[in-house]
Amino acid sequence: MSYIVEMHEVNKFFGSLQVLKNFSMSLKQREKVVIIGPSGSGKSTVLRCINHLEPIQSGRILFDGQEITEKTDLCALRAHIGMVFQRFNLFPHKTALENIIEAPVIVKGMSRSDAELTGMELLNKVGLSDKKDSYPRELSGGQQQRVAIARALAMNPKIMLFDEATSALDPELVGEVLLTMKQLANDGMTMVVVTHEMGFAREVADRIIFMDQGSIVEEKTPHDFFTNPSHDRTKLFLKRITQH
Protein backbone atom coordinates (compact mmCIF):
# COMPACT_ATOMS: atom_id res chain seq x y z
CA MET A 1 0.00 0.00 0.00
CA SER A 2 1.41 3.40 -0.98
CA TYR A 3 1.16 6.33 1.39
CA ILE A 4 1.50 9.99 0.57
CA VAL A 5 2.79 10.80 4.08
CA GLU A 6 4.67 8.47 6.42
CA MET A 7 6.05 9.45 9.80
CA HIS A 8 8.14 6.82 11.57
CA GLU A 9 9.26 7.15 15.21
CA VAL A 10 9.57 10.95 14.92
CA ASN A 11 11.04 12.83 17.86
CA LYS A 12 10.95 16.61 17.99
CA PHE A 13 12.40 18.88 20.68
CA PHE A 14 12.20 22.60 21.33
CA GLY A 15 15.27 22.99 23.50
CA SER A 16 14.85 20.48 26.31
CA LEU A 17 11.09 20.17 25.76
CA GLN A 18 10.11 17.07 23.79
CA VAL A 19 6.95 17.84 21.83
CA LEU A 20 6.76 14.68 19.68
CA LYS A 21 7.65 11.30 21.20
CA ASN A 22 8.24 8.42 18.78
CA PHE A 23 5.33 9.70 16.70
CA SER A 24 4.24 7.47 13.81
CA MET A 25 1.43 8.11 11.33
CA SER A 26 0.64 7.17 7.72
CA LEU A 27 -1.78 8.80 5.31
CA LYS A 28 -3.15 7.41 2.05
CA GLN A 29 -4.21 9.50 -0.91
CA ARG A 30 -7.73 10.95 -0.62
CA GLU A 31 -7.77 10.15 3.11
CA LYS A 32 -8.95 12.71 5.65
CA VAL A 33 -7.31 12.54 9.07
CA VAL A 34 -8.35 14.85 11.88
CA ILE A 35 -5.96 15.36 14.80
CA ILE A 36 -7.44 16.53 18.08
CA GLY A 37 -6.18 16.90 21.61
CA PRO A 38 -5.49 19.42 24.36
CA SER A 39 -3.35 22.49 23.82
CA GLY A 40 0.36 21.69 23.83
CA SER A 41 -0.11 18.06 22.80
CA GLY A 42 1.98 18.46 19.61
CA LYS A 43 -0.82 18.59 17.04
CA SER A 44 0.40 21.64 15.12
CA THR A 45 3.99 20.42 15.31
CA VAL A 46 3.00 17.29 13.38
CA LEU A 47 1.80 19.47 10.50
CA ARG A 48 4.87 21.69 10.59
CA CYS A 49 7.16 18.66 10.47
CA ILE A 50 5.37 17.22 7.43
CA ASN A 51 6.36 20.19 5.28
CA HIS A 52 9.66 20.67 7.12
CA LEU A 53 8.80 24.01 8.66
CA GLU A 54 10.26 22.31 11.74
CA PRO A 55 13.25 19.94 11.46
CA ILE A 56 13.08 16.75 13.50
CA GLN A 57 15.75 15.37 15.81
CA SER A 58 15.24 11.69 14.96
CA GLY A 59 12.96 9.39 13.02
CA ARG A 60 11.92 9.48 9.37
CA ILE A 61 9.31 11.41 7.38
CA LEU A 62 8.47 10.44 3.80
CA PHE A 63 6.33 12.42 1.39
CA ASP A 64 5.11 10.63 -1.71
CA GLY A 65 7.73 7.93 -1.15
CA GLN A 66 10.69 10.32 -0.78
CA GLU A 67 12.36 10.87 2.56
CA ILE A 68 12.43 14.46 3.75
CA THR A 69 15.89 15.45 4.95
CA GLU A 70 17.95 18.62 5.26
CA LYS A 71 19.03 18.06 1.63
CA THR A 72 15.45 17.99 0.33
CA ASP A 73 14.47 20.72 -2.12
CA LEU A 74 12.04 22.36 0.28
CA CYS A 75 10.54 24.72 -2.31
CA ALA A 76 9.67 21.76 -4.51
CA LEU A 77 8.30 19.86 -1.51
CA ARG A 78 6.11 22.70 -0.31
CA ALA A 79 4.74 23.25 -3.80
CA HIS A 80 2.93 19.93 -3.30
CA ILE A 81 1.81 20.61 0.28
CA GLY A 82 -0.80 23.28 0.86
CA MET A 83 -1.00 24.65 4.39
CA VAL A 84 -3.60 26.91 5.99
CA PHE A 85 -2.70 28.50 9.31
CA GLN A 86 -4.69 30.02 12.17
CA ARG A 87 -3.73 33.47 10.93
CA PHE A 88 -4.46 34.22 7.32
CA ASN A 89 -1.05 35.70 6.42
CA LEU A 90 -2.37 37.43 3.30
CA PHE A 91 -0.33 40.19 1.69
CA PRO A 92 -2.15 43.34 2.89
CA HIS A 93 -1.13 45.38 -0.16
CA LYS A 94 -2.48 42.83 -2.67
CA THR A 95 -6.06 42.07 -3.65
CA ALA A 96 -7.65 38.68 -3.07
CA LEU A 97 -6.87 37.63 -6.64
CA GLU A 98 -3.31 38.97 -6.48
CA ASN A 99 -2.71 37.00 -3.26
CA ILE A 100 -3.83 33.81 -4.99
CA ILE A 101 -1.77 34.19 -8.18
CA GLU A 102 1.47 35.25 -6.48
CA ALA A 103 2.91 31.76 -5.88
CA PRO A 104 1.89 30.16 -9.21
CA VAL A 105 3.50 33.05 -11.11
CA ILE A 106 6.65 33.40 -8.97
CA VAL A 107 7.28 29.77 -7.98
CA LYS A 108 5.80 27.80 -10.86
CA GLY A 109 6.45 30.34 -13.61
CA MET A 110 2.82 30.30 -14.71
CA SER A 111 1.76 33.13 -17.01
CA ARG A 112 -0.22 35.86 -15.30
CA SER A 113 -3.21 35.31 -17.57
CA ASP A 114 -3.32 31.58 -16.80
CA ALA A 115 -2.83 32.24 -13.11
CA GLU A 116 -5.68 34.77 -13.07
CA LEU A 117 -7.96 32.28 -14.83
CA THR A 118 -7.13 29.64 -12.22
CA GLY A 119 -7.41 32.20 -9.44
CA MET A 120 -10.91 33.18 -10.49
CA GLU A 121 -11.95 29.52 -10.61
CA LEU A 122 -10.65 29.09 -7.07
CA LEU A 123 -12.33 32.25 -5.81
CA ASN A 124 -15.56 30.93 -7.26
CA LYS A 125 -14.91 27.59 -5.56
CA VAL A 126 -14.66 29.27 -2.16
CA GLY A 127 -17.62 31.54 -2.89
CA LEU A 128 -15.71 34.81 -3.25
CA SER A 129 -15.59 35.59 -6.97
CA ASP A 130 -17.17 38.98 -6.23
CA LYS A 131 -14.28 39.86 -3.90
CA LYS A 132 -11.43 39.47 -6.40
CA ASP A 133 -10.48 43.15 -6.22
CA SER A 134 -10.91 43.48 -2.46
CA TYR A 135 -7.94 43.94 -0.16
CA PRO A 136 -7.64 41.87 3.04
CA ARG A 137 -8.66 44.83 5.20
CA GLU A 138 -11.95 44.92 3.28
CA LEU A 139 -12.73 41.26 4.00
CA SER A 140 -14.08 39.56 7.10
CA GLY A 141 -11.92 37.03 8.90
CA GLY A 142 -13.88 34.17 7.35
CA GLN A 143 -13.46 35.64 3.88
CA GLN A 144 -9.72 36.14 4.43
CA GLN A 145 -9.35 32.52 5.51
CA ARG A 146 -11.23 31.32 2.42
CA VAL A 147 -8.86 33.40 0.27
CA ALA A 148 -5.98 31.73 2.13
CA ILE A 149 -7.45 28.32 1.27
CA ALA A 150 -7.78 29.33 -2.39
CA ARG A 151 -4.18 30.57 -2.33
CA ALA A 152 -2.97 27.19 -1.06
CA LEU A 153 -5.05 25.38 -3.70
CA ALA A 154 -3.55 27.53 -6.47
CA MET A 155 -0.37 25.45 -6.32
CA ASN A 156 -2.43 22.31 -7.05
CA PRO A 157 -1.12 20.53 -3.96
CA LYS A 158 -1.25 16.78 -3.39
CA ILE A 159 -2.27 17.31 0.22
CA MET A 160 -3.76 20.09 2.34
CA LEU A 161 -2.79 20.73 5.97
CA PHE A 162 -5.12 22.81 8.14
CA ASP A 163 -3.72 24.10 11.43
CA GLU A 164 -6.75 25.17 13.48
CA ALA A 165 -7.97 27.19 10.51
CA THR A 166 -11.08 28.44 12.33
CA SER A 167 -9.68 29.17 15.80
CA ALA A 168 -8.95 32.85 15.13
CA LEU A 169 -12.43 33.52 13.73
CA ASP A 170 -15.53 34.93 15.36
CA PRO A 171 -17.95 32.06 16.03
CA GLU A 172 -20.43 33.27 13.43
CA LEU A 173 -17.74 33.10 10.70
CA VAL A 174 -16.53 29.58 11.47
CA GLY A 175 -19.27 27.87 9.49
CA GLU A 176 -18.35 29.39 6.13
CA VAL A 177 -14.74 28.18 6.41
CA LEU A 178 -15.78 24.70 7.57
CA LEU A 179 -18.16 24.49 4.61
CA THR A 180 -15.27 25.22 2.24
CA MET A 181 -13.18 22.55 3.94
CA LYS A 182 -16.03 20.04 3.69
CA GLN A 183 -16.34 20.76 -0.03
CA LEU A 184 -12.63 20.06 -0.46
CA ALA A 185 -13.02 16.79 1.40
CA ASN A 186 -15.97 15.82 -0.78
CA ASP A 187 -13.88 16.61 -3.87
CA GLY A 188 -11.35 13.98 -2.75
CA MET A 189 -8.58 16.21 -1.41
CA THR A 190 -6.12 14.45 0.89
CA MET A 191 -6.27 16.35 4.19
CA VAL A 192 -4.74 16.46 7.66
CA VAL A 193 -6.75 18.77 9.88
CA VAL A 194 -5.92 19.98 13.38
CA THR A 195 -9.13 21.34 14.83
CA HIS A 196 -11.33 21.75 17.90
CA GLU A 197 -14.46 21.48 15.76
CA MET A 198 -15.84 18.10 16.81
CA GLY A 199 -18.80 18.26 14.44
CA PHE A 200 -16.44 18.66 11.50
CA ALA A 201 -14.28 15.78 12.76
CA ARG A 202 -17.30 13.51 13.11
CA GLU A 203 -18.64 14.38 9.66
CA VAL A 204 -15.51 14.53 7.50
CA ALA A 205 -12.74 12.38 9.00
CA ASP A 206 -11.86 8.90 7.87
CA ARG A 207 -9.78 8.60 11.03
CA ILE A 208 -9.46 10.64 14.18
CA ILE A 209 -6.13 10.76 15.99
CA PHE A 210 -6.23 11.89 19.62
CA MET A 211 -2.90 13.19 20.92
CA ASP A 212 -1.64 14.05 24.35
CA GLN A 213 1.87 15.01 25.48
CA GLY A 214 3.44 14.37 22.08
CA SER A 215 2.06 10.88 21.51
CA ILE A 216 -0.95 9.22 19.92
CA VAL A 217 -3.30 8.07 22.66
CA GLU A 218 -6.08 6.76 20.43
CA GLU A 219 -6.79 6.37 16.71
CA LYS A 220 -10.24 5.34 15.50
CA THR A 221 -13.01 5.99 13.02
CA PRO A 222 -15.22 8.93 14.05
CA HIS A 223 -18.08 6.66 15.06
CA ASP A 224 -15.91 4.49 17.30
CA PHE A 225 -13.98 7.46 18.67
CA PHE A 226 -17.05 9.35 19.85
CA THR A 227 -19.20 6.38 20.90
CA ASN A 228 -16.63 3.89 22.18
CA PRO A 229 -13.33 5.50 23.26
CA SER A 230 -10.90 3.00 24.75
CA HIS A 231 -8.59 5.13 26.88
CA ASP A 232 -9.43 7.00 30.05
CA ARG A 233 -7.54 10.07 28.76
CA THR A 234 -9.76 10.15 25.67
CA LYS A 235 -12.90 9.74 27.76
CA LEU A 236 -11.84 12.63 30.02
CA PHE A 237 -11.12 14.87 27.00
CA LEU A 238 -14.47 14.11 25.38
CA LYS A 239 -16.29 14.66 28.68
CA ARG A 240 -14.66 18.07 29.08
CA ILE A 241 -15.36 19.31 25.56
CA THR A 242 -18.99 18.17 25.63
CA GLN A 243 -19.54 20.22 28.77
CA HIS A 244 -18.86 23.45 26.83
mmCIF file of all heavy atoms in Angstrom, residues 13-34:
data_model
loop_
_atom_site.group_PDB
_atom_site.id
_atom_site.type_symbol
_atom_site.label_atom_id
_atom_site.label_comp_id
_atom_site.label_asym_id
_atom_site.label_seq_id
_atom_site.Cartn_x
_atom_site.Cartn_y
_atom_site.Cartn_z
ATOM 1 N N PHE A 13 12.146 18.110 19.462
ATOM 2 C CA PHE A 13 12.403 18.875 20.681
ATOM 3 C C PHE A 13 12.412 20.371 20.359
ATOM 4 O O PHE A 13 12.867 20.783 19.291
ATOM 5 C CB PHE A 13 13.767 18.512 21.278
ATOM 6 C CG PHE A 13 13.853 17.126 21.856
ATOM 7 C CD1 PHE A 13 14.067 16.031 21.035
ATOM 8 C CD2 PHE A 13 13.731 16.931 23.225
ATOM 9 C CE1 PHE A 13 14.162 14.752 21.571
ATOM 10 C CE2 PHE A 13 13.826 15.654 23.770
ATOM 11 C CZ PHE A 13 14.044 14.566 22.942
ATOM 12 N N PHE A 14 11.932 21.167 21.301
ATOM 13 C CA PHE A 14 12.198 22.596 21.331
ATOM 14 C C PHE A 14 13.054 22.832 22.562
ATOM 15 O O PHE A 14 12.541 22.861 23.685
ATOM 16 C CB PHE A 14 10.911 23.415 21.394
ATOM 17 C CG PHE A 14 10.089 23.364 20.132
ATOM 18 C CD1 PHE A 14 8.820 22.808 20.135
ATOM 19 C CD2 PHE A 14 10.589 23.863 18.938
ATOM 20 C CE1 PHE A 14 8.066 22.762 18.980
ATOM 21 C CE2 PHE A 14 9.837 23.822 17.767
ATOM 22 C CZ PHE A 14 8.575 23.266 17.794
ATOM 23 N N GLY A 15 14.360 22.941 22.357
ATOM 24 C CA GLY A 15 15.267 22.994 23.496
ATOM 25 C C GLY A 15 15.230 21.674 24.236
ATOM 26 O O GLY A 15 15.406 20.611 23.641
ATOM 27 N N SER A 16 14.933 21.716 25.528
ATOM 28 C CA SER A 16 14.853 20.482 26.314
ATOM 29 C C SER A 16 13.439 19.904 26.341
ATOM 30 O O SER A 16 13.221 18.810 26.864
ATOM 31 C CB SER A 16 15.311 20.756 27.754
ATOM 32 O OG SER A 16 14.466 21.726 28.361
ATOM 33 N N LEU A 17 12.483 20.621 25.754
ATOM 34 C CA LEU A 17 11.088 20.169 25.761
ATOM 35 C C LEU A 17 10.826 19.241 24.577
ATOM 36 O O LEU A 17 10.975 19.636 23.424
ATOM 37 C CB LEU A 17 10.144 21.368 25.699
ATOM 38 C CG LEU A 17 8.657 21.039 25.601
ATOM 39 C CD1 LEU A 17 8.181 20.352 26.890
ATOM 40 C CD2 LEU A 17 7.840 22.303 25.328
ATOM 41 N N GLN A 18 10.439 18.018 24.854
ATOM 42 C CA GLN A 18 10.110 17.071 23.787
ATOM 43 C C GLN A 18 8.628 17.196 23.460
ATOM 44 O O GLN A 18 7.772 16.931 24.308
ATOM 45 C CB GLN A 18 10.438 15.631 24.192
ATOM 46 C CG GLN A 18 10.250 14.643 23.045
ATOM 47 C CD GLN A 18 10.779 13.254 23.353
ATOM 48 O OE1 GLN A 18 11.207 12.989 24.471
ATOM 49 N NE2 GLN A 18 10.770 12.395 22.363
ATOM 50 N N VAL A 19 8.337 17.601 22.214
ATOM 51 C CA VAL A 19 6.949 17.840 21.829
ATOM 52 C C VAL A 19 6.364 16.720 20.978
ATOM 53 O O VAL A 19 5.140 16.589 20.892
ATOM 54 C CB VAL A 19 6.799 19.189 21.082
ATOM 55 C CG1 VAL A 19 7.018 20.344 22.033
ATOM 56 C CG2 VAL A 19 7.750 19.282 19.907
ATOM 57 N N LEU A 20 7.210 15.897 20.348
ATOM 58 C CA LEU A 20 6.761 14.676 19.682
ATOM 59 C C LEU A 20 7.613 13.520 20.178
ATOM 60 O O LEU A 20 8.841 13.602 20.192
ATOM 61 C CB LEU A 20 6.865 14.788 18.160
ATOM 62 C CG LEU A 20 5.932 15.780 17.460
ATOM 63 C CD1 LEU A 20 6.156 15.737 15.955
ATOM 64 C CD2 LEU A 20 4.471 15.526 17.798
ATOM 65 N N LYS A 21 6.963 12.432 20.586
ATOM 66 C CA LYS A 21 7.652 11.300 21.203
ATOM 67 C C LYS A 21 7.386 10.033 20.387
ATOM 68 O O LYS A 21 6.286 9.471 20.451
ATOM 69 C CB LYS A 21 7.169 11.126 22.639
ATOM 70 C CG LYS A 21 7.386 12.360 23.508
ATOM 71 C CD LYS A 21 6.734 12.215 24.870
ATOM 72 C CE LYS A 21 6.895 13.500 25.690
ATOM 73 N NZ LYS A 21 6.183 13.422 26.991
ATOM 74 N N ASN A 22 8.369 9.628 19.588
ATOM 75 C CA ASN A 22 8.243 8.417 18.775
ATOM 76 C C ASN A 22 6.918 8.397 18.011
ATOM 77 O O ASN A 22 6.205 7.393 17.992
ATOM 78 C CB ASN A 22 8.370 7.160 19.648
ATOM 79 C CG ASN A 22 9.746 7.046 20.264
ATOM 80 O OD1 ASN A 22 10.753 7.265 19.601
ATOM 81 N ND2 ASN A 22 9.802 6.719 21.544
ATOM 82 N N PHE A 23 6.623 9.519 17.367
ATOM 83 C CA PHE A 23 5.329 9.700 16.704
ATOM 84 C C PHE A 23 5.344 9.018 15.334
ATOM 85 O O PHE A 23 6.227 9.257 14.513
ATOM 86 C CB PHE A 23 5.039 11.199 16.527
ATOM 87 C CG PHE A 23 3.687 11.486 15.948
ATOM 88 C CD1 PHE A 23 2.596 11.684 16.774
ATOM 89 C CD2 PHE A 23 3.492 11.551 14.569
ATOM 90 C CE1 PHE A 23 1.343 11.948 16.244
ATOM 91 C CE2 PHE A 23 2.249 11.814 14.039
ATOM 92 C CZ PHE A 23 1.171 12.011 14.883
ATOM 93 N N SER A 24 4.357 8.169 15.092
ATOM 94 C CA SER A 24 4.242 7.466 13.814
ATOM 95 C C SER A 24 2.823 7.618 13.267
ATOM 96 O O SER A 24 1.850 7.460 14.011
ATOM 97 C CB SER A 24 4.569 5.978 13.971
ATOM 98 O OG SER A 24 5.912 5.783 14.375
ATOM 99 N N MET A 25 2.729 7.933 11.980
ATOM 100 C CA MET A 25 1.433 8.114 11.328
ATOM 101 C C MET A 25 1.611 7.917 9.834
ATOM 102 O O MET A 25 2.637 8.305 9.272
ATOM 103 C CB MET A 25 0.895 9.528 11.606
ATOM 104 C CG MET A 25 -0.437 9.848 10.943
ATOM 105 S SD MET A 25 -0.904 11.604 11.126
ATOM 106 C CE MET A 25 0.052 12.327 9.774
ATOM 107 N N SER A 26 0.625 7.309 9.180
ATOM 108 C CA SER A 26 0.642 7.170 7.725
ATOM 109 C C SER A 26 -0.678 7.676 7.156
ATOM 110 O O SER A 26 -1.726 7.588 7.813
ATOM 111 C CB SER A 26 0.856 5.710 7.315
ATOM 112 O OG SER A 26 2.118 5.247 7.762
ATOM 113 N N LEU A 27 -0.609 8.194 5.947
ATOM 114 C CA LEU A 27 -1.781 8.795 5.314
ATOM 115 C C LEU A 27 -1.828 8.383 3.851
ATOM 116 O O LEU A 27 -0.861 8.575 3.115
ATOM 117 C CB LEU A 27 -1.695 10.327 5.422
ATOM 118 C CG LEU A 27 -2.859 11.138 4.852
ATOM 119 C CD1 LEU A 27 -4.063 11.042 5.785
ATOM 120 C CD2 LEU A 27 -2.453 12.590 4.667
ATOM 121 N N LYS A 28 -2.950 7.813 3.439
ATOM 122 C CA LYS A 28 -3.147 7.412 2.055
ATOM 123 C C LYS A 28 -3.738 8.568 1.247
ATOM 124 O O LYS A 28 -4.338 9.492 1.807
ATOM 125 C CB LYS A 28 -4.077 6.205 1.976
ATOM 126 C CG LYS A 28 -3.531 4.935 2.595
ATOM 127 C CD LYS A 28 -4.517 3.787 2.525
ATOM 128 C CE LYS A 28 -5.696 4.014 3.450
ATOM 129 N NZ LYS A 28 -6.579 2.831 3.540
ATOM 130 N N GLN A 29 -3.601 8.501 -0.045
ATOM 131 C CA GLN A 29 -4.213 9.498 -0.913
ATOM 132 C C GLN A 29 -5.724 9.500 -0.725
ATOM 133 O O GLN A 29 -6.335 8.451 -0.532
ATOM 134 C CB GLN A 29 -3.865 9.231 -2.372
ATOM 135 C CG GLN A 29 -2.467 9.654 -2.752
ATOM 136 C CD GLN A 29 -2.231 9.617 -4.250
ATOM 137 O OE1 GLN A 29 -2.822 8.813 -4.950
ATOM 138 N NE2 GLN A 29 -1.375 10.479 -4.744
ATOM 139 N N ARG A 30 -6.301 10.702 -0.744
ATOM 140 C CA ARG A 30 -7.735 10.951 -0.618
ATOM 141 C C ARG A 30 -8.248 10.727 0.803
ATOM 142 O O ARG A 30 -9.434 10.897 1.074
ATOM 143 C CB ARG A 30 -8.553 10.116 -1.609
ATOM 144 C CG ARG A 30 -8.186 10.357 -3.063
ATOM 145 C CD ARG A 30 -8.981 9.454 -3.992
ATOM 146 N NE ARG A 30 -10.387 9.825 -4.028
ATOM 147 C CZ ARG A 30 -10.912 10.735 -4.853
ATOM 148 N NH1 ARG A 30 -10.133 11.388 -5.705
ATOM 149 N NH2 ARG A 30 -12.199 11.014 -4.836
ATOM 150 N N GLU A 31 -7.344 10.382 1.727
ATOM 151 C CA GLU A 31 -7.765 10.153 3.111
ATOM 152 C C GLU A 31 -7.849 11.473 3.861
ATOM 153 O O GLU A 31 -7.097 12.410 3.588
ATOM 154 C CB GLU A 31 -6.775 9.212 3.794
ATOM 155 C CG GLU A 31 -7.292 8.615 5.087
ATOM 156 C CD GLU A 31 -6.378 7.551 5.653
ATOM 157 O OE1 GLU A 31 -5.196 7.473 5.235
ATOM 158 O OE2 GLU A 31 -6.832 6.798 6.518
ATOM 159 N N LYS A 32 -8.793 11.530 4.799
ATOM 160 C CA LYS A 32 -8.955 12.706 5.649
ATOM 161 C C LYS A 32 -8.712 12.297 7.098
ATOM 162 O O LYS A 32 -9.466 11.497 7.657
ATOM 163 C CB LYS A 32 -10.361 13.307 5.536
ATOM 164 C CG LYS A 32 -10.630 13.974 4.192
ATOM 165 C CD LYS A 32 -11.080 12.969 3.174
ATOM 166 C CE LYS A 32 -11.290 13.638 1.813
ATOM 167 N NZ LYS A 32 -11.342 12.641 0.726
ATOM 168 N N VAL A 33 -7.643 12.829 7.673
ATOM 169 C CA VAL A 33 -7.305 12.536 9.065
ATOM 170 C C VAL A 33 -7.454 13.811 9.879
ATOM 171 O O VAL A 33 -6.930 14.866 9.498
ATOM 172 C CB VAL A 33 -5.873 11.980 9.185
ATOM 173 C CG1 VAL A 33 -5.454 11.893 10.649
ATOM 174 C CG2 VAL A 33 -5.783 10.601 8.542
ATOM 175 N N VAL A 34 -8.179 13.720 10.977
ATOM 176 C CA VAL A 34 -8.346 14.853 11.878
ATOM 177 C C VAL A 34 -7.589 14.551 13.166
ATOM 178 O O VAL A 34 -7.742 13.476 13.753
ATOM 179 C CB VAL A 34 -9.837 15.117 12.184
ATOM 180 C CG1 VAL A 34 -9.975 16.178 13.280
ATOM 181 C CG2 VAL A 34 -10.564 15.582 10.919
#
